[in-house]
Amino acid sequence: MIVRALADTEADARLFRSLDDPGLVGRVITGVGWSSLREGGDYRPEWSWVALRDGTVVARAAWWGGPDDTEPILLNLFDFAGGEDEAGAELLRRAPHSLEYELILPAGWRELPEVRTAGEARIAAAEAAGMKVLVERFRYEWTPASGLPERPGRLEFRPEPDDEVVLDVLRKVHSVTLDAHALKAIEESGIDRAAQEELDYFHWWPSPREWLRLAYTPAGELVGIQVPAYNTTVPIVGFIGVVPEQRGHGYAYDLLVECTNFLAEQGAQSVAGATDQGNFPMAANFTKAGHPVVQERIHLV
């Protein structure tokens, strides 16, 4: 079996797409269509790999990064031909990118037999390559059809240009958290580094830094932080966090509603968001604010 990256040619683009599932399952599982930057897409040939046997693609994987990134950020397209689970695992072992895998699945995927089989096969192949499941997450999408949730009016939202102030808030939020990615970062690097990584991500988004807002009570007490943003493609609920001493008052809902309204006022026709499935309070807030679940995502590291 030959494992290699693509060359930036039409022939290799066709080669990568030769594994496309003609039915629904493949398109549902990958969640994204592959096209190269030269074709107007999001993927770079040098970050897209195939496993070939006798010239036929038996497995493929594509790592993704933003338009200005010099290295990929995550793996979000990985599949293989029927019965080629081990080829998929071997592809991940040989490719040089050891990054998080975000498996994109439809909502309620475990209730769809074909999709469940395909999804579980990809998880098993990634685990055979040395990865492990970190967390399962819900992905939400608000649209105007859901109606704008009314602002509760309990909080004041202020821009905060000082990154050091924002870092201090992030450290407080992360000091008690249910978020699996934050917990992993804290375990590996400490809370200061985890907060810095969060702030670096805010700066990575192409949306204006001044959209970031800190929330306060009318008496001036800090409540938390909310970051409406655009990633490279869509408006998003970038970050919602309440400091520990203000929890128990339902303020996360206020932050989410403010974020949704702010983006709608900027002209957003959809707002994407996500939370860990085990974060029951935040999941309930998304539902209450009119953000239905549109996908589930499994993150393997």
Side-chain angles (χ1 to χ4, degrees):
M1 190 171 70
I2 296 172
V3 175
R4 69 170 176 86
L6 301 185
D8 192 10
T9 64
E10 291 184 10
D12 263 13
R14 288 195 300 271
L15 182 71
F16 193 89
R17 286 191 284 261
S18 68
L19 189 59
D20 282 343
D21 188 324
L24 174 65
V25 172
R27 292 195 298 273
V28 166
I29 291 291
T30 56
V32 289
W34 186 93
S35 57
S36 68
L37 291 176
R38 184 169 55 82
E39 297 171 318
D42 294 327
Y43 290 98
R44 305 185 198 191
E46 65 270 25
W47 299 347
S48 303
W49 287 67
V50 290
L52 301 159
R53 185 179 293 111
D54 298 328
T56 298
V57 177
V58 292
R60 63 181 183 170
W63 285 261
W64 179 88
D68 298 323
D69 290 326
T70 58
E71 297 292 336
I73 293 175
L74 55 78
L75 169 67
N76 67 358
L77 195 162
F78 169 56
D79 52 10
F80 38 84
E84 293 287 359
D85 307 53
E86 176 53 31
E90 185 64 14
L91 169 58
L92 295 185
R93 294 187 195 106
R94 292 196 206 177
H97 309 299
S98 181
L99 295 168
E100 183 169 326
Y101 171 30
E102 182 181 57
L103 173 57
I104 302 168
L105 296 154
W109 65 278
R110 286 187 172 91
E111 306 304 316
L112 307 170
E114 286 184 292
V115 176
R116 177 170 183 165
T117 297
E120 290 178 344
R122 284 158 177 78
I123 294 169
E127 289 177 333
M131 305 186 83
K132 63 180 181 180
V133 174
L134 174 67
V135 68
E136 298 190 28
R137 289 169 63 81
F138 289 124
R139 184 184 182 276
Y140 302 87
E141 186 175 89
W142 174 89
T143 63
S146 298
L148 267 175
E150 183 178 351
R151 287 178 165 109
R154 297 191 295 170
L155 302 176
E156 298 174 0
F157 295 89
R158 308 173 194 169
E160 179 48 72
D162 190 338
D163 277 356
E164 289 303 317
V165 174
V166 174
L167 278 171
D168 188 52
V169 176
L170 290 172
R171 282 190 286 266
K172 290 177 180 178
V173 170
H174 281 345
S175 68
V176 182
T177 181
L178 296 174
D179 185 87
H181 283 89
L183 290 170
K184 178 176 180 290
I186 292 167
E187 180 182 358
E188 293 177 348
S189 307
I191 197 165
D192 289 345
R193 184 60 201 163
Q196 184 63 58
E197 288 177 0
E198 206 77 67
L199 182 62
D200 291 345
Y201 200 35
F202 299 167
H203 284 296
W204 178 82
W205 292 322
S207 48
R209 163 66 174 76
E210 56 267 24
W211 283 7
L212 182 153
R213 295 287 192 274
L214 298 186
Y216 297 87
T217 67
E221 297 174 341
L222 174 70
V223 168
I225 178 174
Q226 60 95 18
V227 189
Y230 275 75
N231 62 17
T232 59
T233 54
V234 296
I236 61 170
V237 178
F239 190 85
I240 297 289
V242 177
V243 296
E245 61 268 25
Q246 295 288 356
R247 294 177 188 172
H249 303 291
Y251 285 139
Y253 176 77
D254 301 48
L255 302 184
L256 176 59
V257 168
E258 179 64 26
C259 200
T260 306
N261 275 271
F262 180 90
L263 288 168
E265 290 165 358
Q266 308 308 309
Q269 292 301 300
S270 67
V271 176
T275 196
D276 293 2
Q277 292 188 15
N279 190 341
F280 302 113
M282 198 64 219
N285 286 327
F286 272 107
T287 299
K288 182 180 176 182
H291 292 241
V293 175
V294 294
Q295 287 178 340
E296 296 182 43
R297 298 188 175 192
I298 299 179
H299 295 254
L300 297 97
V301 294

